[in-house]
Amino acid sequence: MAFPVVQSRDWGRDRLLCGHPKLFIADLLRIPCSNEHPEKIFLYRNHPIFTVDVMGIITKVDERSRIVVYTIDDGTGSIPCTVFKNTDQNNALRAIGDEIPKGPLRQKYENILEEKARECFEHGQLLHVWGVLQVYQRIRCIKVYQCIVVRQPMAEVHRIHEQLDLYERFYDKPLVLQLKLFGFYDPNPETFCADTVRQLILDEICNEQLESFTKDLILELLEKKTEKVKQDPVYLRLALQGLQRTGHLYRRPLEAEYRVSQYCKQFQRSILELIATNQNNINGTTFGCCFSKIFNDIRKLLQFSEINSYGMWICLRQLERQSDIVFYADDQFLAVS
């Protein structure tokens, strides 16, 4: 079956890029590298693959001065997984621990970090790994940022059933751009469509330094650039809805005015406040605020009720690049204050 080619500019529309697809190791070893980003982005069918979720039996342990390389086998193949003994992430977590007041809470946090530093797995254990798929010295491997030993006796059986279901429902189906489903997406940049209007709106926001605007005002500004906006008003409506879902704009109920969030003002501030408020709720060894908690709570605020998960991921990645938060586990975030 031939799968349509997806340009790199549209990879962000595929959830597998920001997620951790649970592919079989045989597929991880077989899938080709992308031509635009060789040895960094891989392509399964036409899905971009960057981070992966793998579970298998440890068949080899190679301990070195700074890293430990575990070779794990899931029955379809084996792949080396590199664990760094002293990573920047561990240093960031230790720095956060220094800000916790002295007492039982800080002692418990330090004990968790010490156990993690001493942790070394053995042959025959079932290891669950999250990391980045990459090529190092012409060998395909996984750079690990989180791994745990799985002790449930039926974990492998449940994992295989889950993978087969994911392959059937998601991985083996081609990536179809969401806008194309609604009939107003055209990959030709010269074609007038909702994507064109969305970009024109963002350009006008920057040029005019708008903090808020009404639909009539933005229509008046866009008509100076092209008359097609007035001829096809449906594209303006779809463009405004799309910008609300990605978090660029928000609008309170019963208000005609759109407000600009731009990820660096109220939207970022609200997310940081939510993470800081909820990250100290410790349950067992869990420490941080998970993505689903942040997403559900931010949507309870009226001005951000239209935000979708893609817009949330964009903002969280931006906060991580600014060093405002630490991406500390599969979907756990810590605020750096």
Side-chain angles (χ1 to χ4, degrees):
M1 179 181 176
F3 286 81
V5 176
V6 178
Q7 301 296 327
S8 59
R9 63 184 175 87
D10 294 318
W11 283 349
R13 302 177 190 273
D14 193 339
R15 294 184 180 182
L16 294 189
L17 182 64
C18 294
H20 294 76
K22 300 178 180 180
L23 297 171
F24 290 113
I25 290 178
D27 287 327
L28 296 181
L29 298 174
R30 185 167 52 231
I31 58 179
C33 295
S34 130
N35 293 330
E36 299 179 54
H37 302 278
E39 301 184 358
K40 292 184 179 181
I41 301 293
F42 301 82
L43 297 174
Y44 179 79
R45 309 300 189 190
N46 65 347
H47 296 284
I49 305 297
F50 178 60
T51 53
V52 293
D53 178 337
V54 176
M55 183 187 292
I57 300 294
I58 300 175
T59 59
K60 182 181 178 182
V61 180
D62 182 9
E63 187 169 0
R64 304 174 191 175
S65 58
R66 297 185 61 187
I67 62 173
V68 181
V69 181
Y70 300 100
T71 302
I72 64 174
D73 190 324
D74 69 347
T76 66
S78 58
I79 190 169
C81 302
T82 306
V83 180
F84 286 81
K85 292 182 178 179
N86 186 16
T87 63
D88 294 338
Q89 185 183 53
N90 290 338
N91 293 336
L93 293 175
R94 194 169 294 279
I96 293 172
D98 293 339
E99 298 180 3
I100 301 176
K102 291 184 177 180
L105 181 62
R106 179 168 176 174
Q107 186 62 41
K108 185 173 182 178
Y109 187 82
E110 291 176 351
N111 292 340
I112 292 172
L113 292 181
E114 288 176 6
E115 289 176 8
K116 186 177 180 182
R118 294 195 304 268
E119 200 170 46
C120 188
F121 307 117
E122 302 174 353
H123 287 83
Q125 288 183 318
L126 182 61
L127 194 64
H128 193 171
V129 167
W130 296 267
V132 178
L133 185 64
Q134 61 182 11
V135 177
Y136 178 69
Q137 295 182 348
R138 298 185 179 181
I139 298 175
R140 196 162 294 192
C141 59
I142 297 174
K143 181 182 177 182
V144 179
Y145 53 74
Q146 180 73 8
C147 58
I148 58 172
V149 173
V150 180
R151 306 188 187 278
Q152 290 84 354
M154 294 294 291
E156 281 187 284
V157 177
H158 294 156
R159 170 81 175 196
I160 292 172
H161 282 288
E162 182 185 15
Q163 285 176 296
L164 293 174
D165 181 57
L166 288 171
Y167 270 87
E168 182 181 357
R169 295 172 56 194
F170 301 107
Y171 303 159
D172 286 337
K173 292 184 178 180
L175 169 61
V176 179
L177 298 177
Q178 185 180 10
L179 293 174
K180 195 171 184 178
L181 295 175
F182 294 98
F184 57 84
Y185 176 81
D186 192 320
N188 184 355
E190 296 179 359
T191 304
F192 186 78
C193 61
D195 274 355
T196 310
V197 181
R198 187 182 294 115
Q199 190 57 51
L200 289 173
I201 293 174
L202 292 176
D203 292 343
E204 287 301 319
I205 288 172
C206 295
N207 295 337
E208 302 292 335
Q209 297 183 349
L210 298 175
E211 295 187 359
S212 63
F213 59 85
T214 62
K215 190 174 180 179
D216 293 336
L217 174 61
I218 201 68
L219 181 60
E220 181 181 342
L221 293 173
L222 295 180
E223 282 179 353
K224 296 177 182 178
K225 293 191 171 184
T226 174
E227 296 180 356
K228 292 183 179 180
V229 177
K230 194 169 184 179
Q231 296 171 1
D232 299 304
V234 65
Y235 292 141
L236 177 60
R237 178 175 59 82
L238 293 171
L240 291 171
Q241 289 176 354
L243 290 172
Q244 282 184 272
R245 284 193 291 269
T246 55
H248 287 88
L249 304 176
Y250 64 90
R251 185 177 63 167
R252 293 187 174 90
L254 304 179
E255 279 192 5
E257 200 171 46
Y258 292 88
R259 301 176 187 273
V260 181
S261 57
Q262 291 290 335
Y263 296 124
C264 57
K265 296 179 182 177
Q266 189 172 353
F267 191 43
Q268 280 190 351
R269 192 160 52 248
S270 300
I271 290 178
L272 279 173
E273 289 174 358
L274 284 173
I275 296 175
T277 303
N278 294 283
Q279 67 182 4
N280 294 325
N281 297 330
I282 298 181
N283 181 12
T285 58
T286 302
F287 184 83
C289 190
C290 67
F291 176 83
S292 58
K293 172 68 175 174
I294 304 169
F295 183 54
N296 291 333
D297 285 357
I298 201 74
R299 283 173 64 92
K300 292 177 183 177
L301 302 176
L302 293 179
Q303 61 267 42
F304 302 123
S305 59
E306 296 294 329
I307 193 72
N308 66 358
S309 58
Y310 174 61
M312 275 291 303
W313 272 115
I314 291 175
C315 186
L316 289 169
R317 294 293 185 187
Q318 180 65 27
L319 289 171
E320 186 182 25
R321 286 194 291 269
Q322 296 171 188
S323 300
D324 291 323
I325 62 173
V326 175
F327 186 72
Y328 130 81
D330 185 26
D331 65 345
Q332 298 284 328
F333 299 89
L334 293 172
V336 180
S337 56

